[in-house]
Coordinates of all heavy atoms in Angstrom, one line a residue:
M29 N 96.1 99.0 94.7 CA 96.2 100.3 95.5 C 97.2 100.1 96.7 O 97.1 99.0 97.3 CB 94.9 100.8 95.9 CG 95.0 102.1 96.7 SD 93.5 102.9 97.2 CE 93.0 103.6 95.6
V30 N 98.0 101.0 96.9 CA 98.9 101.0 98.0 C 98.1 101.0 99.3 O 97.2 101.8 99.4 CB 99.9 102.1 98.0 CG1 100.8 102.2 99.2 CG2 100.7 102.0 96.7
K31 N 98.5 100.2 100.3 CA 97.9 100.2 101.6 C 98.9 100.6 102.7 O 99.9 100.0 102.8 CB 97.3 98.9 101.9 CG 96.5 98.9 103.3 CD 95.9 97.6 103.6 CE 95.1 97.7 104.9 NZ 94.5 96.4 105.3
V32 N 98.5 101.7 103.4 CA 99.3 102.1 104.5 C 98.6 101.8 105.8 O 97.4 102.3 106.0 CB 99.6 103.7 104.4 CG1 100.4 104.1 105.7 CG2 100.4 104.0 103.2
T33 N 99.2 101.1 106.7 CA 98.6 100.8 108.0 C 99.5 101.4 109.1 O 100.7 101.2 109.1 CB 98.6 99.3 108.2 OG1 97.8 98.7 107.2 CG2 97.9 98.9 109.6
L34 N 98.9 102.2 109.9 CA 99.6 102.9 111.0 C 99.2 102.2 112.3 O 98.0 102.3 112.7 CB 99.4 104.4 111.0 CG 100.1 105.2 112.1 CD1 101.6 105.1 111.9 CD2 99.6 106.6 112.1
V35 N 100.1 101.6 113.0 CA 99.8 101.0 114.3 C 100.2 102.0 115.4 O 101.3 102.5 115.4 CB 100.6 99.7 114.5 CG1 100.3 99.1 115.9 CG2 100.4 98.7 113.4
T36 N 99.2 102.3 116.2 CA 99.3 103.4 117.2 C 98.8 102.9 118.5 O 98.2 101.8 118.6 CB 98.5 104.6 116.8 OG1 97.1 104.3 116.8 CG2 99.0 105.2 115.5
A37 N 99.0 103.7 119.6 CA 98.5 103.4 120.9 C 98.0 104.6 121.6 O 98.6 105.7 121.3 CB 99.5 102.7 121.8
Q38 N 97.0 104.5 122.4 CA 96.5 105.7 123.0 C 97.5 106.3 124.0 O 97.5 107.5 124.3 CB 95.2 105.4 123.8 CG 94.1 105.1 122.8 CD 92.7 104.9 123.4 OE1 92.5 105.3 124.6 NE2 91.7 104.5 122.7
W39 N 98.3 105.5 124.6 CA 99.3 105.9 125.6 C 100.6 106.5 124.9 O 101.5 106.9 125.6 CB 99.7 104.8 126.5 CG 99.9 103.5 125.9 CD1 99.0 102.5 125.8 CD2 101.0 103.0 125.2 NE1 99.5 101.4 125.1 CE2 100.8 101.7 124.7 CE3 102.3 103.5 124.9 CZ2 101.7 100.9 124.0 CZ3 103.2 102.8 124.2 CH2 102.9 101.5 123.8
C40 N 100.7 106.5 123.6 CA 101.9 106.9 122.8 C 101.8 108.4 122.6 O 100.9 108.9 122.1 CB 101.9 106.2 121.5 SG 103.1 106.8 120.3
H41 N 102.9 109.1 123.0 CA 103.0 110.6 122.9 C 103.3 111.0 121.4 O 103.1 112.1 121.1 CB 104.0 111.1 123.8 CG 103.7 110.9 125.3 ND1 102.6 111.4 125.9 CD2 104.2 110.0 126.2 CE1 102.5 111.0 127.1 NE2 103.5 110.1 127.3
F42 N 103.9 110.1 120.6 CA 104.3 110.4 119.3 C 103.3 110.1 118.2 O 103.3 110.5 117.1 CB 105.6 109.7 118.9 CG 106.8 110.0 119.9 CD1 107.1 109.1 120.9 CD2 107.4 111.2 119.8 CE1 108.2 109.4 121.7 CE2 108.4 111.6 120.7 CZ 108.8 110.7 121.6
C43 N 102.3 109.2 118.6 CA 101.3 108.7 117.6 C 100.5 109.8 117.0 O 100.2 109.8 115.8 CB 100.5 107.6 118.3 SG 101.5 106.1 118.5
P44 N 100.0 110.8 117.8 CA 99.2 111.9 117.2 C 100.0 112.6 116.0 O 99.4 112.9 115.0 CB 98.9 112.8 118.3 CG 98.9 112.0 119.5 CD 100.0 111.0 119.3
T45 N 101.3 112.8 116.2 CA 102.1 113.4 115.1 C 102.1 112.5 113.9 O 102.0 113.0 112.7 CB 103.5 113.7 115.6 OG1 103.4 114.5 116.8 CG2 104.3 114.4 114.6
A46 N 102.3 111.2 114.1 CA 102.3 110.3 113.0 C 101.0 110.2 112.3 O 100.9 110.2 111.0 CB 102.7 108.9 113.4
K47 N 99.9 110.2 113.0 CA 98.5 110.2 112.4 C 98.3 111.5 111.6 O 97.8 111.4 110.5 CB 97.5 110.2 113.5 CG 97.3 108.9 114.2 CD 96.3 109.0 115.3 CE 96.1 107.7 116.1 NZ 95.0 107.8 117.1
K48 N 98.7 112.6 112.1 CA 98.6 113.9 111.4 C 99.3 113.8 110.1 O 98.8 114.2 109.0 CB 99.1 115.0 112.3 CG 98.9 116.4 111.7 CD 99.4 117.5 112.7 CE 99.1 118.9 112.2 NZ 100.1 119.4 111.2
L49 N 100.6 113.3 110.1 CA 101.4 113.2 108.9 C 100.7 112.4 107.8 O 100.6 112.8 106.7 CB 102.8 112.7 109.3 CG 103.6 112.3 108.0 CD1 104.3 113.6 107.6 CD2 104.6 111.2 108.4
W50 N 100.3 111.2 108.2 CA 99.7 110.3 107.2 C 98.3 110.8 106.7 O 98.0 110.6 105.6 CB 99.6 108.9 107.8 CG 100.9 108.2 107.8 CD1 101.6 107.9 108.9 CD2 101.7 107.8 106.7 NE1 102.8 107.3 108.5 CE2 102.9 107.3 107.2 CE3 101.5 107.9 105.3 CZ2 103.9 106.8 106.3 CZ3 102.5 107.5 104.5 CH2 103.7 106.9 105.0
R51 N 97.6 111.5 107.6 CA 96.3 112.1 107.1 C 96.6 113.2 106.1 O 95.8 113.3 105.2 CB 95.5 112.6 108.3 CG 94.9 111.4 109.2 CD 94.3 111.9 110.4 NE 93.8 110.8 111.3 CZ 93.4 111.0 112.5 NH1 93.4 112.2 113.1 NH2 93.0 109.9 113.2
E52 N 97.6 114.0 106.3 CA 98.0 115.0 105.4 C 98.4 114.4 104.1 O 98.0 114.9 103.0 CB 99.1 115.9 105.9 CG 98.6 116.8 107.0 CD 99.7 117.6 107.7 OE1 100.9 117.5 107.3 OE2 99.4 118.4 108.7
L53 N 99.2 113.4 104.1 CA 99.7 112.7 102.9 C 98.5 112.1 102.1 O 98.5 112.0 100.9 CB 100.8 111.7 103.2 CG 102.1 112.3 103.6 CD1 103.1 111.2 104.1 CD2 102.7 113.2 102.5
K54 N 97.5 111.6 102.9 CA 96.3 111.0 102.3 C 95.6 112.0 101.4 O 95.0 111.6 100.4 CB 95.4 110.4 103.3 CG 94.1 109.8 102.8 CD 94.4 108.5 102.2 CE 93.1 107.8 101.8 NZ 92.9 107.6 100.4
E55 N 95.7 113.3 101.7 CA 95.0 114.3 100.9 C 95.8 114.5 99.6 O 95.2 115.0 98.7 CB 94.9 115.6 101.7 CG 93.9 115.5 102.9 CD 93.9 116.7 103.8 OE1 94.4 117.8 103.3 OE2 93.3 116.6 104.9
K56 N 97.1 114.3 99.6 CA 97.9 114.5 98.5 C 98.0 113.3 97.6 O 98.1 113.4 96.3 CB 99.3 115.0 99.0 CG 100.2 115.4 97.9 CD 101.5 115.9 98.4 CE 102.5 116.3 97.3 NZ 103.8 116.7 97.8
Y57 N 98.1 112.1 98.1 CA 98.3 110.9 97.4 C 97.1 110.0 97.5 O 96.4 110.0 98.5 CB 99.5 110.1 97.9 CG 100.8 110.9 97.8 CD1 101.3 111.6 98.9 CD2 101.5 110.9 96.6 CE1 102.5 112.3 98.7 CE2 102.7 111.6 96.5 CZ 103.2 112.3 97.6 OH 104.4 113.0 97.4
D58 N 96.9 109.1 96.5 CA 95.8 108.2 96.5 C 96.3 106.8 97.0 O 97.0 106.1 96.3 CB 95.3 108.0 95.1 CG 94.0 107.2 95.0 OD1 93.3 107.1 96.0 OD2 93.8 106.6 94.0
F59 N 96.0 106.5 98.3 CA 96.3 105.2 98.9 C 95.3 104.9 99.9 O 94.6 105.8 100.4 CB 97.7 105.2 99.4 CG 98.0 106.2 100.6 CD1 97.8 105.9 101.9 CD2 98.3 107.5 100.3 CE1 98.1 106.8 102.9 CE2 98.6 108.5 101.3 CZ 98.4 108.1 102.6
E60 N 95.2 103.6 100.2 CA 94.3 103.1 101.3 C 95.0 103.4 102.6 O 96.2 103.1 102.8 CB 94.0 101.7 101.1 CG 93.1 101.1 102.1 CD 92.8 99.6 101.9 OE1 93.2 99.1 100.9 OE2 92.3 99.0 102.9
Y61 N 94.3 103.9 103.6 CA 94.9 104.3 104.9 C 94.1 103.7 106.0 O 92.9 104.0 106.1 CB 95.1 105.8 105.0 CG 95.6 106.2 106.3 CD1 96.9 105.9 106.8 CD2 94.9 107.0 107.2 CE1 97.4 106.3 108.0 CE2 95.3 107.4 108.4 CZ 96.6 107.1 108.8 OH 97.1 107.5 110.0
V62 N 94.8 103.0 106.9 CA 94.1 102.4 108.1 C 94.9 102.7 109.3 O 96.2 102.6 109.3 CB 93.9 100.9 107.9 CG1 93.2 100.3 109.1 CG2 93.2 100.6 106.7
E63 N 94.2 103.1 110.4 CA 94.9 103.3 111.7 C 94.4 102.1 112.6 O 93.2 101.8 112.7 CB 94.5 104.6 112.4 CG 95.1 105.8 111.6 CD 94.6 107.1 112.2 OE1 93.8 107.1 113.2 OE2 95.0 108.1 111.6
V64 N 95.4 101.4 113.2 CA 95.1 100.3 114.0 C 95.6 100.5 115.4 O 96.8 100.8 115.6 CB 95.7 99.0 113.5 CG1 95.3 97.8 114.4 CG2 95.1 98.7 112.1
D65 N 94.8 100.3 116.4 CA 95.2 100.5 117.8 C 96.0 99.3 118.3 O 95.6 98.1 118.1 CB 94.0 100.7 118.7 CG 94.4 101.1 120.1 OD1 94.7 100.2 121.0 OD2 94.6 102.3 120.4
Y66 N 97.1 99.5 118.9 CA 98.0 98.5 119.4 C 97.3 97.5 120.3 O 97.6 96.3 120.2 CB 99.2 99.2 120.2 CG 100.3 98.3 120.7 CD1 101.4 98.1 119.9 CD2 100.2 97.8 122.0 CE1 102.4 97.4 120.4 CE2 101.3 97.0 122.4 CZ 102.4 96.8 121.6 OH 103.4 96.1 122.1
D67 N 96.4 98.0 121.1 CA 95.7 97.2 122.1 C 94.4 96.5 121.6 O 93.7 95.9 122.4 CB 95.4 98.0 123.4 CG 96.7 98.5 124.0 OD1 97.7 97.6 124.2 OD2 96.8 99.7 124.4
S68 N 94.1 96.6 120.3 CA 92.9 96.0 119.8 C 93.3 94.6 119.3 O 94.4 94.3 119.1 CB 92.4 96.8 118.6 OG 93.3 96.7 117.5
P69 N 92.2 93.8 119.0 CA 92.5 92.4 118.5 C 93.3 92.5 117.2 O 94.2 91.7 116.9 CB 91.1 91.8 118.3 CG 90.3 92.6 119.3 CD 90.8 94.0 119.4
E70 N 92.9 93.4 116.3 CA 93.6 93.6 115.0 C 95.1 94.0 115.3 O 96.0 93.5 114.6 CB 92.9 94.6 114.1 CG 93.5 94.6 112.7 CD 92.8 95.7 111.8 OE1 91.8 96.2 112.2 OE2 93.3 95.8 110.7
G71 N 95.2 94.9 116.2 CA 96.6 95.3 116.6 C 97.4 94.2 117.1 O 98.6 94.0 116.7
E72 N 96.9 93.4 117.9 CA 97.6 92.2 118.4 C 98.0 91.3 117.3 O 99.1 90.7 117.4 CB 96.7 91.5 119.5 CG 96.6 92.3 120.8 CD 95.6 91.7 121.8 OE1 95.2 90.5 121.6 OE2 95.3 92.3 122.8
K73 N 97.1 91.1 116.3 CA 97.5 90.2 115.2 C 98.7 90.8 114.4 O 99.6 90.1 114.1 CB 96.3 90.1 114.2 CG 95.3 89.0 114.6 CD 94.1 88.9 113.7 CE 94.3 89.2 112.3 NZ 93.1 89.1 111.5
L74 N 98.7 92.1 114.2 CA 99.8 92.8 113.5 C 101.1 92.7 114.3 O 102.2 92.5 113.7 CB 99.4 94.2 113.2 CG 98.3 94.4 112.1 CD1 98.0 95.9 112.0 CD2 98.8 93.9 110.8
I75 N 101.0 92.9 115.6 CA 102.1 92.9 116.5 C 102.8 91.5 116.4 O 104.0 91.4 116.2 CB 101.7 93.1 118.0 CG1 101.3 94.6 118.1 CG2 102.8 92.8 118.9 CD1 100.5 94.9 119.4
E76 N 102.0 90.5 116.4 CA 102.5 89.1 116.3 C 103.1 88.8 114.9 O 104.2 88.4 114.7 CB 101.4 88.1 116.6 CG 102.0 86.7 116.6 CD 100.9 85.7 117.1 OE1 100.1 86.0 118.0 OE2 100.8 84.6 116.5
E77 N 102.3 89.2 113.8 CA 102.8 89.0 112.5 C 104.0 89.7 112.1 O 104.9 89.1 111.4 CB 101.6 89.4 111.5 CG 101.9 89.2 110.0 CD 100.8 89.6 109.1 OE1 99.7 89.9 109.6 OE2 101.0 89.7 107.9
F78 N 104.2 90.9 112.5 CA 105.3 91.8 112.1 C 106.4 92.0 113.2 O 107.3 92.7 113.0 CB 104.9 93.1 111.6 CG 104.1 93.1 110.3 CD1 102.7 93.1 110.3 CD2 104.7 93.0 109.1 CE1 102.0 93.0 109.2 CE2 104.0 92.9 107.9 CZ 102.6 93.0 108.0
S79 N 106.2 91.3 114.4 CA 107.1 91.5 115.5 C 107.2 92.9 115.9 O 108.4 93.4 116.1 CB 108.4 90.8 115.2 OG 108.3 89.4 115.0
I80 N 106.1 93.7 116.0 CA 106.2 95.1 116.3 C 106.5 95.2 117.8 O 105.8 94.6 118.7 CB 104.8 95.7 116.0 CG1 104.6 95.7 114.5 CG2 104.8 97.2 116.5 CD1 103.2 96.1 114.0
V81 N 107.4 96.1 118.1 CA 107.8 96.3 119.5 C 107.7 97.8 119.9 O 107.9 98.1 121.1 CB 109.3 95.8 119.8 CG1 109.3 94.3 119.7 CG2 110.3 96.5 118.9
S82 N 107.4 98.7 118.9 CA 107.3 100.1 119.2 C 106.2 100.7 118.4 O 106.0 100.3 117.3 CB 108.7 100.7 118.9 OG 108.7 102.1 119.2
V83 N 105.6 101.8 118.9 CA 104.7 102.5 118.1 C 105.1 104.0 118.1 O 105.8 104.4 119.0 CB 103.2 102.4 118.7 CG1 102.7 101.1 118.5 CG2 103.2 102.8 120.2
P84 N 104.7 104.7 117.1 CA 104.0 104.3 115.9 C 104.8 103.5 114.9 O 106.0 103.7 114.8 CB 103.6 105.6 115.3 CG 104.6 106.6 115.7 CD 105.0 106.2 117.0
T85 N 104.2 102.5 114.3 CA 104.8 101.7 113.3 C 104.0 101.8 112.0 O 102.8 101.7 112.0 CB 104.9 100.2 113.7 OG1 105.8 100.1 114.8 CG2 105.5 99.4 112.6
T86 N 104.7 102.1 110.9 CA 104.0 102.3 109.6 C 104.3 101.0 108.8 O 105.5 100.7 108.5 CB 104.4 103.5 108.9 OG1 104.2 104.7 109.7 CG2 103.7 103.7 107.6
I87 N 103.3 100.4 108.3 CA 103.4 99.2 107.4 C 102.8 99.7 106.1 O 101.7 100.2 106.0 CB 102.5 98.0 107.9 CG1 103.0 97.6 109.3 CG2 102.6 96.9 107.0 CD1 102.1 96.7 110.1
I88 N 103.6 99.5 105.0 CA 103.2 99.8 103.7 C 103.2 98.5 102.9 O 104.3 97.9 102.7 CB 104.1 100.9 103.0 CG1 104.0 102.2 103.8 CG2 103.6 101.1 101.6 CD1 104.9 103.3 103.3
D89 N 102.1 98.1 102.4 CA 101.9 96.9 101.6 C 102.6 95.7 102.2 O 103.5 95.1 101.7 CB 102.5 97.1 100.2 CG 101.5 98.0 99.3 OD1 100.3 98.1 99.7 OD2 102.0 98.5 98.3
D90 N 102.3 95.4 103.5 CA 102.8 94.3 104.2 C 104.3 94.3 104.5 O 104.9 93.2 104.6 CB 102.4 93.0 103.5 CG 100.8 92.8 103.5 OD1 100.2 93.2 104.5 OD2 100.3 92.3 102.5
K91 N 104.8 95.5 104.6 CA 106.2 95.6 105.0 C 106.4 96.8 105.9 O 105.9 97.9 105.7 CB 107.1 95.8 103.7 CG 108.6 95.9 104.0 CD 109.4 96.1 102.7 CE 110.8 96.3 103.1 NZ 111.6 96.9 102.0
I92 N 107.1 96.6 107.1 CA 107.3 97.7 108.0 C 108.3 98.6 107.3 O 109.4 98.2 106.9 CB 107.9 97.2 109.3 CG1 106.8 96.4 110.1 CG2 108.4 98.4 110.2 CD1 107.3 95.9 111.5
V93 N 107.9 99.9 107.2 CA 108.7 100.9 106.5 C 109.3 101.9 107.5 O 110.4 102.4 107.3 CB 107.9 101.5 105.4 CG1 108.8 102.6 104.6 CG2 107.4 100.5 104.4
F94 N 108.5 102.2 108.5 CA 108.9 103.2 109.5 C 108.5 102.8 110.9 O 107.4 102.3 111.1 CB 108.2 104.6 109.2 CG 108.5 105.2 107.9 CD1 107.6 105.3 106.9 CD2 109.8 105.8 107.7 CE1 107.8 105.9 105.7 CE2 110.0 106.4 106.5 CZ 109.1 106.4 105.5
V95 N 109.5 103.0 111.8 CA 109.2 102.8 113.2 C 109.4 104.2 113.8 O 110.5 104.8 113.6 CB 110.1 101.8 113.9 CG1 109.8 101.7 115.4 CG2 109.8 100.4 113.2
G96 N 108.4 104.7 114.5 CA 108.5 106.1 115.0 C 107.8 107.0 114.0 O 107.2 106.6 113.0
V97 N 107.9 108.3 114.2 CA 107.3 109.3 113.3 C 108.2 109.5 112.1 O 109.4 109.9 112.2 CB 107.1 110.6 114.0 CG1 106.5 111.7 113.1 CG2 106.2 110.5 115.3
P98 N 107.7 109.2 110.9 CA 108.5 109.3 109.7 C 108.8 110.7 109.3 O 107.9 111.6 109.6 CB 107.7 108.6 108.6 CG 106.4 108.5 109.1 CD 106.4 108.6 110.6
D99 N 109.9 111.0 108.7 CA 110.2 112.3 108.1 C 109.2 112.4 106.9 O 109.0 111.5 106.1 CB 111.6 112.3 107.6 CG 111.9 113.5 106.8 OD1 112.1 114.6 107.4 OD2 112.0 113.4 105.5
K100 N 108.6 113.6 106.8 CA 107.6 113.8 105.7 C 108.1 113.5 104.3 O 107.4 112.9 103.5 CB 107.0 115.2 105.8 CG 105.7 115.4 105.0 CD 105.1 116.7 105.3 CE 103.7 116.8 104.5 NZ 103.0 118.0 104.9
N101 N 109.3 114.0 104.1 CA 109.9 113.8 102.8 C 110.1 112.3 102.5 O 109.9 111.8 101.4 CB 111.2 114.5 102.6 CG 111.0 116.0 102.5 OD1 109.9 116.5 102.1 ND2 112.0 116.8 103.0
Q102 N 110.6 111.6 103.5 CA 110.9 110.1 103.3 C 109.5 109.4 103.1 O 109.5 108.5 102.2 CB 111.6 109.5 104.5 CG 113.0 109.9 104.6 CD 113.8 109.3 103.5 OE1 114.0 109.8 102.4 NE2 114.3 108.0 103.7
A103 N 108.5 109.8 103.8 CA 107.2 109.1 103.7 C 106.7 109.4 102.3 O 106.2 108.5 101.6 CB 106.3 109.7 104.7
S104 N 106.8 110.6 101.8 CA 106.4 111.0 100.5 C 107.1 110.2 99.4 O 106.5 109.7 98.5 CB 106.6 112.5 100.2 OG 105.7 113.3 101.0
K105 N 108.4 110.1 99.6 CA 109.2 109.3 98.6 C 108.7 107.8 98.5 O 108.7 107.2 97.5 CB 110.7 109.4 98.9 CG 111.3 110.7 98.6 CD 112.8 110.7 99.0 CE 113.3 112.1 98.7 NZ 114.7 112.2 99.2
N106 N 108.5 107.3 99.7 CA 108.0 105.9 99.7 C 106.6 105.7 99.0 O 106.4 104.8 98.3 CB 107.9 105.4 101.2 CG 109.2 104.8 101.7 OD1 109.4 103.6 101.4 ND2 110.0 105.6 102.4
L107 N 105.8 106.7 99.2 CA 104.5 106.7 98.5 C 104.6 106.9 97.0 O 104.0 106.2 96.3 CB 103.5 107.8 99.1 CG 103.0 107.5 100.5 CD1 102.2 108.7 101.0 CD2 102.1 106.3 100.5
E108 N 105.5 107.8 96.6 CA 105.7 108.0 95.2 C 106.2 106.8 94.5 O 105.8 106.5 93.4 CB 106.6 109.2 95.0 CG 106.0 110.5 95.3 CD 107.0 111.7 95.4 OE1 108.2 111.5 95.1 OE2 106.6 112.8 95.8
K109 N 107.1 106.0 95.2 CA 107.6 104.8 94.6 C 106.5 103.8 94.5 O 106.4 103.0 93.5 CB 108.7 104.2 95.5 CG 110.0 104.8 95.3 CD 111.1 104.0 96.0 CE 111.6 104.8 97.2 NZ 112.5 104.1 98.0
A110 N 105.6 103.7 95.5 CA 104.6 102.7 95.5 C 103.3 103.0 94.7 O 102.7 102.1 94.2 CB 104.2 102.4 97.0
V111 N 103.0 104.3 94.6 CA 101.7 104.7 93.9 C 101.8 104.6 92.5 O 102.6 104.8 91.7 CB 101.3 106.1 94.4 CG1 100.1 106.5 93.6 CG2 101.0 106.1 95.8

């Protein structure tokens, strides 16, 4: 199953929009979805592993696919390819 990980931060003004987008897509497509806070221990591991410097960052199946809020059509296309 495709896994989408969204790295966000409480201080990020764009992260709520990215969360809303991925939650809406989760209702349409079948994929595993996880939100990880930038300042959490798990977030710190992802930051180090993927060299994340900006949030929101979307990781799909262990690859950074989007930095910033993705375009809904682009996000859908990525899911359709992966699902």
Side-chain angles (χ1 to χ4, degrees):
M29 178 176 281
V30 175
K31 181 177 182 182
V32 175
T33 304
L34 180 64
V35 181
T36 64
Q38 292 189 10
W39 42 263
C40 168
H41 300 291
F42 302 104
C43 289
T45 304
K47 287 180 182 182
K48 182 177 185 279
L49 170 85
W50 285 111
R51 288 173 183 169
E52 287 174 2
L53 290 173
K54 177 74 175 117
E55 293 177 13
K56 185 176 180 183
Y57 298 97
D58 186 26
F59 62 94
E60 183 181 345
Y61 176 64
V62 179
E63 293 174 1
V64 178
D65 188 273
Y66 185 91
D67 296 315
S68 71
E70 186 180 355
E72 290 175 11
K73 278 177 35 182
L74 292 173
I75 290 161
E76 186 174 317
E77 181 180 347
F78 293 97
S79 301
I80 295 171
V81 295
S82 183
V83 288
T85 294
T86 303
I87 302 166
I88 300 178
D89 288 339
D90 295 324
K91 181 180 176 196
I92 291 179
V93 179
F94 299 106
V95 176
V97 178
D99 173 77
K100 190 171 188 173
N101 290 332
Q102 285 294 92
S104 293
K105 285 179 187 174
N106 273 276
L107 285 174
E108 288 169 4
K109 281 190 246 175
V111 172

